[in-house]
Amino acid sequence: MNKAELVFYAGSTLLEGPRWNNELNALLCVSIEQERIFLINDEEQLVKTFKTNGQVGFALFKDKETIIYAAYEGVYELNIATGENKFLFQANNDKTLRYNDGDYDPKGRILLGTTGYKRFAKGEGCLYSANADGTNIKKIIKNTSISNGIAFSHDSKYLYFIDTPTKKVGRYEYDADKGSCSFDKYIVEITGDGVPDGMCIDEEGNIYVAEWGGFRVCKWNPATGECLKEYHVPVQNVSSCTIGGRNRDTLFITTAAHDDGTTSEIGAGGLFKVKL
């Protein structure tokens, strides 16, 4: 079992959504409850911090100059150089929900999941799809509770999606031309103490699933459901992961503090990394 080491810590209670950019040799992650986006160059030990418009569910690179992020007040475009925010659109108008995880689909649409805002909202959330300009907003997966990890098979035929309380990773047949999907089957089930949270996919098509409450990220073969490898994290609540580094040989992992008021582990809420 490979053990992850701490890279960055800024007192976040819920660090989430790491995303890598090769051109910048840096990654994004979001501090949901502190309403911050961090742009981190681990190699040069440089960090840029941006304030968001409310609790921020995720942030994505549009290009090396621009970030797209989804916060409580809507979806925004952020200029990395100036810090200027530009409002794009609002898909979710239910103030009792907030955005959680999100990603691009193979055609560049933005997928936006929701979860309860400061409460558990069983079956009240969904996964939205929207064009980058905010047109053609629609719900493609309904009745979710905590919408989390999103990944696509390399042939774009399947969307892998996590609704955390199910403790499973679902596979959906995906129509990239229409931006629609239909449930196919569950491909992974978490049977230990943890529940599945964020997720990423490697060049071979294996998925890496962060386990909230499980002290680990596990690598899975989505075709067979076999667990191929475990990466130990010295923090109980492991929230998400992404593959990056100059040689694309590093798994970056976000974590969170305990959400029940009990004492958290050292580094909880920080960013960790481990070699693949």
Side-chain angles (χ1 to χ4, degrees):
M1 185 184 293
N2 300 47
K3 186 174 180 179
E5 61 177 306
L6 184 65
V7 172
F8 167 78
Y9 180 78
S12 297
T13 51
L14 179 51
L15 199 69
E16 262 280 12
R19 295 290 185 274
W20 180 259
N21 183 285
N22 280 326
E23 289 185 271
L24 296 176
N25 193 41
L27 64 79
L28 290 173
C29 52
V30 300
S31 184
I32 292 178
E33 294 173 343
Q34 282 69 44
E35 303 178 5
R36 296 289 188 274
I37 297 171
F38 298 117
L39 176 62
I40 302 169
N41 185 316
D42 170 48
E43 197 172 271
E44 298 180 13
Q45 295 189 324
L46 295 174
V47 180
K48 289 192 75 170
T49 305
F50 305 94
K51 178 73 171 66
T52 61
N53 293 295
Q55 289 196 359
V56 53
F58 66 88
L60 307 170
F61 288 102
K62 179 180 179 182
D63 49 46
K64 66 178 182 179
E65 287 90 23
T66 315
I67 293 165
I68 304 292
Y69 74 87
Y72 188 66
E73 300 296 333
V75 180
Y76 293 82
E77 185 176 284
L78 170 67
N79 184 296
I80 293 173
T82 67
E84 180 183 357
N85 282 286
K86 174 186 173 184
F87 178 80
L88 296 178
F89 64 92
Q90 175 65 290
N92 169 52
N93 293 305
D94 185 339
K95 293 298 184 181
T96 69
L97 302 175
R98 66 163 176 84
Y99 295 114
N100 205 35
D101 214 343
D103 210 339
Y104 294 115
D105 86 345
K107 296 288 188 178
R109 301 179 188 90
I110 302 173
L111 303 188
L112 314 94
T114 60
T115 189
Y117 180 57
K118 300 181 180 180
R119 70 187 184 99
F120 178 60
K122 183 177 181 180
E124 297 177 39
C126 70
L127 182 67
Y128 287 101
S129 170
N131 293 336
D133 61 0
T135 58
N136 197 29
I137 298 171
K138 59 185 178 181
K139 297 178 180 181
I140 60 171
I141 300 177
K142 299 179 181 179
N143 305 122
T144 63
S145 298
I146 306 177
S147 178
N148 257 312
I150 299 167
F152 283 89
S153 62
H154 293 318
D155 60 8
S156 302
K157 286 176 59 179
Y158 296 113
L159 162 66
Y160 305 126
F161 174 73
I162 292 170
D163 183 12
T164 290
T166 67
K167 297 197 74 172
K168 299 173 183 177
V169 180
R171 188 176 82 174
Y172 293 73
E173 294 181 349
Y174 196 77
D175 187 327
D177 291 327
K178 295 179 180 178
S180 61
C181 66
S182 59
F183 179 75
D184 179 29
K185 64 178 182 178
Y186 289 112
I187 55 172
V188 167
E189 182 173 5
I190 307 300
T191 57
D193 294 332
V195 294
D197 200 321
M199 171 173 53
C200 68
I201 192 166
D202 67 16
E203 293 179 356
E204 288 75 44
N206 299 304
I207 57 174
Y208 296 70
V209 179
E211 292 190 21
W212 183 278
F215 288 96
R216 64 182 183 175
V217 174
C218 288
K219 175 182 177 180
W220 299 86
N221 181 326
T224 65
E226 179 187 2
C227 182
L228 303 175
K229 198 168 187 178
E230 293 184 22
Y231 299 89
H232 176 74
V233 185
V235 172
Q236 182 174 356
N237 291 334
V238 185
S239 58
S240 193
C241 55
T242 195
I243 295 169
R246 195 173 292 278
N247 300 312
R248 303 284 290 172
D249 61 353
T250 303
L251 187 68
F252 289 96
I253 302 164
T254 52
T255 65
H258 293 184
D259 55 3
D260 59 2
T262 57
T263 302
S264 299
E265 304 79 23
I266 294 173
L271 176 71
F272 290 74
K273 70 176 181 180
V274 64
K275 287 294 184 183
L276 293 172

